Amino acid sequence: MGNQPHARSFICCSSVLFLLLLCVMPAAAIDCPSCDDFNFCTIDSCDTGTGFCRHEPRDCSDGNPCTTDSCFNAFNNGMGSCNHSTVAAGTTCNDGNSCTQQDACNAAGQCLGNQRPPSSSCDDGNSCTISDACDANGACVGTALGAGASC
């Protein structure tokens, strides 16, 4: 009976060591099959932790609010293209300039707005300025905060 506490201690320590090694040792990467689905409109990859393929949709956005973006897959051979169709002239958009208003797409697929009057309030996106206002050129300009101000 005198050996049992030591045996229990050894078993406990061995179990803790096994768990530590299990948690610390990285899992072996699983060999992945070819995940190519021959679809241009998906980005194919394999999850090496599970061995399963992923087919994420391709992002065809061109960042232009005056186009409708789509993906075209040609004949399931991996060939295709991203297409950008111009929206109707007059479609509301945002040109990103806070010194314009009534922004709308034109026939050429450009987002344009009407310049706001000088001194109109705007936001130049700079936290280190105050009293932002549109200038005569249609740019939003702010007054710098004083030296030592936190922004």
Side-chain angles (χ1 to χ4, degrees):
M1 281 231 216
N3 290 339
Q4 286 182 349
H6 295 292
R8 283 187 192 148
S9 176
F10 176 74
I11 291 170
C12 181
C13 289
S14 295
S15 298
V16 169
L17 180 59
F18 173 75
L19 288 174
L20 284 173
L21 287 174
L22 185 63
C23 293
V24 172
M25 303 230 355
I30 296 174
D31 286 335
C32 287
S34 171
C35 290
D36 190 354
D37 63 0
F38 301 102
N39 183 340
F40 176 81
C41 297
T42 61
I43 304 297
D44 307 321
S45 65
C46 179
D47 183 331
T48 57
T50 65
F52 289 109
C53 292
R54 286 185 278 205
H55 307 285
E56 301 294 327
R58 180 178 299 274
D59 180 9
C60 281
S61 175
D62 63 1
N64 181 348
C66 294
T67 60
T68 299
D69 307 317
S70 62
C71 187
F72 173 73
N73 185 41
F75 309 112
N76 287 329
N77 62 4
M79 303 296 281
S81 63
C82 287
N83 300 320
H84 313 287
S85 303
T86 304
V87 300
T91 301
T92 302
C93 60
N94 183 347
D95 67 3
N97 182 346
S98 60
C99 288
T100 61
Q101 56 192 357
Q102 301 166 334
D103 301 349
C105 299
N106 66 13
Q110 298 170 313
C111 183
L112 302 171
N114 298 319
Q115 188 170 325
R116 295 173 68 199
S119 301
S120 295
S121 179
C122 62
D123 182 3
D124 67 2
N126 184 346
S127 63
C128 294
T129 61
I130 56 172
S131 304
D132 300 347
C134 299
D135 67 12
N137 296 318
C140 185
V141 180
T143 304
L145 293 175
S150 68
C151 52

